[in-house]
Amino acid sequence: DGGITQSPKYLFRKEGQNVTLSCEQNLNHDAMYWYRQDPGQGLRLIYYSQIVNDFQKGDIAEGYSVSREKKESFPLTVTSAQKNPTAFYLCATGTQNTGELFFGEGSRLTVL
Amino acid sequence: QQQVKQSPQSLIVQKGGISIINCAYENTAFDYFPWYQQFPGKGPALLIAIRPDVSEKKEGRFTISFNKSAKQFSLHIMDSQPGDSATYFCAASIEGNYGQNFVFGPGTRLSVLP
């Protein structure tokens, strides 16, 4: 089944813990993105990557880290340095040809 | 300059009515304007998109109107249905040094009453 797979769908974390959100795609898209969604604020870009082993900070990268070791995978780590990590996290992929973004189903992180 | 403004924040429409959501941008270098539809607990899905060389694009009940001089674009949903109840995001994108960069509006929550 083609698409973008995010896991886990729901995650609970205690303060001070790092957590990693997984994003896997089989669309063969070069670009991958991580967005954070909070109520009433739309989508804010955390990190993005156009090619393997290269990634760029978005508008709200502080407290997050990523890696791009494979074209198919773009995991996001929410570190303990992120002050307000409770949010809905969305992974997306895109192609240069069409300019479209394709989103995964999202991961909801709650910090207890 | 990178901001995309969107209104209204929420919208209630009767079944069969027309839903209209408006967006405005500042950066004239934006070259792609998509609309996304998001249901609760799901990721956004591309609904319809337009490029600035076209003033209108229609796909079924969904139409984008684009006013380049005013730097505004809008989504019209004709014959709105309860199944259209969702959050709608407009966006604008531009080719950057590291690929396509997207800026999203804050979203409009649409409720279509049966």
Side-chain angles (χ1 to χ4, degrees):
Chain A
D1 208 20
I4 303 165
T5 302
Q6 288 190 241
S7 63
K9 192 168 177 65
Y10 299 97
L11 184 61
F12 297 88
R13 180 194 106 173
K14 292 182 179 180
E15 281 191 17
Q17 289 181 333
N18 293 354
V19 293
T20 297
L21 307 179
S22 169
C23 179
E24 302 280 332
Q25 57 112 349
N26 61 4
L27 300 171
N28 199 34
H29 288 167
D30 290 315
M32 297 189 75
Y33 305 77
W34 274 106
Y35 287 92
R36 170 179 172 142
Q37 186 172 26
D38 296 284
Q41 293 194 45
L43 304 173
R44 292 184 291 169
L45 182 64
I46 304 172
Y47 269 99
Y48 62 106
S49 169
Q50 296 294 325
I51 57 173
V52 173
N53 292 325
D54 189 44
F55 47 82
Q56 308 299 323
K57 291 182 179 180
D59 300 320
I60 56 167
E62 185 174 351
Y64 300 97
S65 66
V66 293
S67 62
R68 189 88 186 273
E69 297 177 1
K70 301 185 299 181
K71 185 176 183 177
E72 303 79 15
S73 179
F74 192 42
L76 174 74
T77 297
V78 184
T79 75
S80 56
Q82 169 51 232
K83 299 302 180 190
N84 184 21
T86 294
F88 190 51
Y89 291 90
L90 288 159
C91 177
T93 69
T95 70
Q96 291 281 76
N97 295 337
T98 65
E100 291 182 40
L101 271 185
F102 299 84
F103 285 89
E105 293 281 274
S107 293
R108 185 167 298 278
L109 171 63
T110 302
V111 174
L112 304 173
Chain B
Q1 254 211 340
Q2 289 293 87
Q3 192 178 16
V4 173
K5 297 179 180 179
Q6 183 174 348
S7 63
Q9 186 175 5
S10 62
L11 181 60
I12 300 175
V13 173
Q14 292 287 340
K15 179 182 175 181
I18 302 174
S19 303
I20 302 174
I21 304 170
N22 300 299
C23 287
Y25 63 97
E26 288 295 323
N27 189 348
T28 56
F30 286 134
D31 59 6
Y32 178 70
F33 300 88
W35 285 89
Y36 285 85
Q37 180 189 56
Q38 184 180 29
F39 294 104
K42 302 292 185 182
L46 180 65
L47 189 62
I48 187 172
I50 198 167
R51 297 202 180 267
D53 53 347
V54 176
S55 61
E56 185 175 282
K57 183 174 181 180
K58 183 177 181 179
E59 291 184 0
R61 296 184 293 110
F62 301 92
T63 300
I64 298 178
S65 297
F66 187 82
N67 186 331
K68 190 174 181 178
S69 60
K71 293 184 283 187
Q72 296 175 348
F73 59 110
S74 60
L75 175 69
H76 292 65
I77 305 174
M78 311 300 288
D79 186 26
S80 298
Q81 298 296 313
D84 296 331
S85 298
T87 299
Y88 293 81
F89 294 95
C90 63
S93 75
I94 182 175
E95 184 75 29
N97 291 333
Y98 298 97
Q100 205 75 8
N101 295 325
F102 289 81
V103 180
F104 288 86
T108 296
R109 180 172 290 184
L110 172 64
S111 297
V112 182
L113 304 179

